[in-house]
Amino acid sequence: MKTQYQYIIYLLLGTTLVSGLSSCSDYFLNVDPTQSISGNTIVVDQNTAETAVLGVYSALQSRLYYGGDGYAAMAYLSGGDHIWVGTLNYYNAFPVHEYRADNTLINNVWYDIYKVVNGANNVIEKVAALSNESITADARNKFTGEAYFLRALSFFDLAKAWGNIPVVLQATKSPSDFSGVKQSDQKTVYAQVLKDLDQAETLLPATVDRNRVTKNTVYALKAKVYLYQENWDKAIEYATKVIGNTNYELVPWSTILGGLNTKESIFELAFSAADQSAHFGSWSSLSYRNQYGPGPEVYQFLQQANVGGDRKALITDNSTATIRNYFIQKLYWRSSGDNPTYILRLAEQYLIRAEARAKSAAPDLQGALSDLNAVRRRANVSVKVLSNKETLLTDIEQERRAEFVLEPHRWFDLVRTGRASTVLGVTDQRKWIFPIPYNDVEVDADLVQNPGYE
């Protein structure tokens, strides 16, 4: 009988590389979305190489990763601004921070993120093996660079959530391939993320594509990783590369809410009516109170005159005398399910640079204030004035809460800044990272459970 771990490995082998291309949107893919090859099929030329890359993007779109109610839900519900109104208890563990190693959502999300890692590893290895006659140099570089970026993003997300993770750099070809791969601590994982991004930066074109990775996408993720590393100078350097690019600009919130691929967007995942995002079906809507929704405190937070501005439109109150705290989000409002998922957008680059400028060894408080106010002006709220560094940093934290109220940032922001205890009351710092899935720890002698979850 196969162990659970072996079963997961066999699933990875059979599904990860390029499965599910029908789940990629028409405006996302450049090849026929019905094309697919199994994980065991050899990549033989440029067309099949691109199909393999698109399969990795497809895995990124999984509902349990960036598609709607998996990784994002863990962050939403842990961050204190959203409430669970569904019936599945393993989701309700996150608002109260009582998740266990056998939590179903934790297990499923971990598995789906590693599917992206394995798909990227397959692309890196198989594209490298192609002859020069079967693929152009530009295509080889592009596909390989995309794979390095997607692997970096996956490792970054895993490290943010679980801290100590196995860094798997080879494609999985047999159930024993993970044998001997120990966990790396969070700092080591971040170093590997940057190593992958360095590789991607040398390979990718300096073009603009809001649905596929380019050099500009790499710059944006590098700025974010450097922020998490507290390498303020590098965070400023890479955020500035994006902010200074005229292909990106802060656009009105009405444009974001009604559009696709706006100039605000650096990297968004595309969906369609045939390939629906799980976001709309997971959030409560006007017609149905579903799994989760904004809580009353964050609704009131956005209603403040000096906070919400145009962002008030992101949440509406649908409460009645019989149904209390029934709030509806409007970022993923399209019932057709073709709303995008934003992974990187320009406002975050401004707020990354603002925080880094304020925290650098030689603080640039006026520069930080200017970046903060650029985001506030776009939201049509009053600008802040400078009083002192501590107040400015609080203003930046609060601006991130308002700006990304429906994006999965707040929990990870409060953890990385050490503020989860003060703001959320999560005094046990062991709960700031999630447990390694029980099944994996049980069958893999190389895995060690995170402290506090023995």
Side-chain angles (χ1 to χ4, degrees), residues 35 114 139 194 240 275 280 339 348 363 425:
Q35 285 182 278
Y114 269 109
L194 288 169
T240 300
D275 158 36
F280 179 83
N339 50 261
E348 187 180 14

Side-chain angles (χ1 to χ4, degrees), residues 1-46:
M1 179 181 294
K2 296 183 182 70
T3 66
Q4 173 70 13
Y5 181 71
Q6 288 173 314
Y7 175 67
I8 289 174
I9 294 301
Y10 280 121
L11 281 177
L12 284 170
L13 286 169
T15 64
T16 298
L17 179 57
V18 290
S19 63
L21 288 185
S22 61
S23 71
C24 289
S25 161
D26 290 342
Y27 82 92
F28 181 17
L29 298 183
N30 296 321
V31 297
D32 183 347
T34 63
Q35 285 182 278
S36 65
I37 56 177
S38 76
N40 295 321
T41 301
I42 296 173
V43 174
V44 297
D45 57 19
Q46 185 165 316

Side-chain angles (χ1 to χ4, degrees), residues 112-286:
D112 267 35
I113 299 178
Y114 269 109
K115 281 174 64 177
V116 177
V117 171
N118 195 54
N121 285 338
N122 268 287
V123 170
I124 291 167
E125 292 182 11
K126 293 187 176 185
V127 171
L130 291 177
S131 68
N132 292 335
E133 291 73 31
S134 61
I135 187 170
T136 67
D138 286 347
R140 187 194 300 276
N141 288 342
K142 176 177 169 57
F143 301 157
T144 305
E146 288 178 287
Y148 273 115
F149 176 92
L150 294 170
R151 187 173 77 177
L153 176 63
S154 301
F155 282 147
F156 182 53
D157 288 338
L158 285 163
K160 286 191 301 179
W162 282 276
N164 310 307
I165 65 159
V167 175
V168 183
L169 302 178
Q170 289 79 40
T172 301
K173 300 180 177 68
S174 73
S176 62
D177 280 354
F178 279 137
S179 179
V181 179
K182 306 289 186 182
Q183 287 153 282
S184 297
D185 63 31
Q186 191 179 66
K187 290 183 179 179
T188 303
V189 179
Y190 287 164
Q192 178 62 48
V193 168
L194 288 169
K195 186 175 180 180
D196 279 356
L197 291 176
D198 286 342
Q199 282 281 75
E201 186 176 345
T202 66
L203 295 168
L204 289 165
T207 55
V208 175
D209 189 327
R210 305 183 199 279
N211 305 130
R212 290 183 68 167
V213 175
T214 71
K215 201 182 296 287
N216 295 307
T217 327
V218 174
Y219 294 158
L221 184 56
K222 272 191 166 185
K224 187 168 184 172
V225 177
Y226 281 126
L227 184 78
Y228 274 69
Q229 282 193 322
E230 299 186 355
N231 187 334
W232 313 124
D233 290 344
K234 283 291 187 180
I236 293 167
E237 175 187 343
Y238 278 92
T240 300
K241 286 177 182 288
V242 183
I243 293 168
N245 188 327
T246 57
N247 290 295
Y248 306 102
E249 66 180 46
L250 297 172
V251 301
W253 265 103
S254 59
T255 301
I256 297 174
L257 290 174
L260 299 170
N261 293 325
T262 71
K263 294 190 77 173
E264 165 85 12
S265 183
I266 301 166
F267 184 36
E268 68 182 57
L269 294 182
F271 297 87
S272 69
D275 158 36
Q276 295 189 342
S277 162
H279 273 287
F280 179 83
S282 301
W283 291 91
S284 295
S285 67
L286 288 172

